[in-house]
Amino acid sequence: QVQLVESGGGLVQPGGSLRLSCAASGIIFSIYTLAWFRQAPGKQRELVAEITSASSTNYADSVKGRFTISRDNAKNTVYLQMNSLKPEDTAVYYCNAVLLVSGGGYWGQGTQVTVSS
């Protein structure tokens, strides 16, 4: 019943922008911490950004000032606005939802972001 569905990935040139969306169902969305992770070929999955139920945010140093995470509880959707994209941002981006006190959580299927000239 729980689903997280990412969308918005694609091919973009360096310096361009994309907005990723993750629509959730089957959870009480407003109480979850939400996050975006990414995984590039041959690399570990890494946390890109997260936003708590109180809307506090945290970003990886590599994306600070370029990416913005936000949530719309009325739409059960979390977003990742990505600006000034670099080739190093190329990865599959995954949405994650977790209750921090309990661990575990849910994952989306991922969406490919490719930054290339």
Side-chain angles (χ1 to χ4, degrees):
Q1 184 175 324
V2 176
Q3 284 190 288
L4 301 176
V5 181
E6 300 100 331
S7 61
L11 175 64
V12 65
Q13 295 186 64
S17 297
L18 286 173
R19 190 191 197 197
L20 305 184
S21 299
C22 173
S25 60
I27 62 172
I28 305 174
F29 184 85
S30 62
I31 69 174
Y32 277 74
T33 291
L34 303 164
W36 289 96
F37 289 75
R38 67 186 180 188
Q39 188 165 25
K43 299 182 68 177
Q44 297 283 157
R45 187 171 297 187
E46 64 175 345
L47 176 67
V48 177
E50 63 182 0
I51 183 166
T52 70
S53 61
S55 293
S56 62
T57 58
N58 182 48
Y59 298 91
D61 288 342
S62 60
V63 307
K64 283 181 179 177
R66 300 188 298 120
F67 291 10
T68 302
I69 188 170
S70 61
R71 64 192 295 163
D72 186 338
N73 289 340
K75 296 182 178 180
N76 285 7
T77 300
V78 60
Y79 305 95
L80 185 67
Q81 178 67 48
M82 304 186 294
N83 299 325
S84 302
L85 282 161
K86 304 174 180 180
E88 307 92 89
D89 297 317
T90 296
V92 177
Y93 284 71
Y94 297 91
C95 179
N96 171 258
V98 66
L99 293 173
L100 294 180
V101 296
S102 62
Y106 303 98
W107 292 90
Q109 83 287 350
T111 185
Q112 176 71 48
V113 172
T114 302
V115 185
S116 176
S117 59

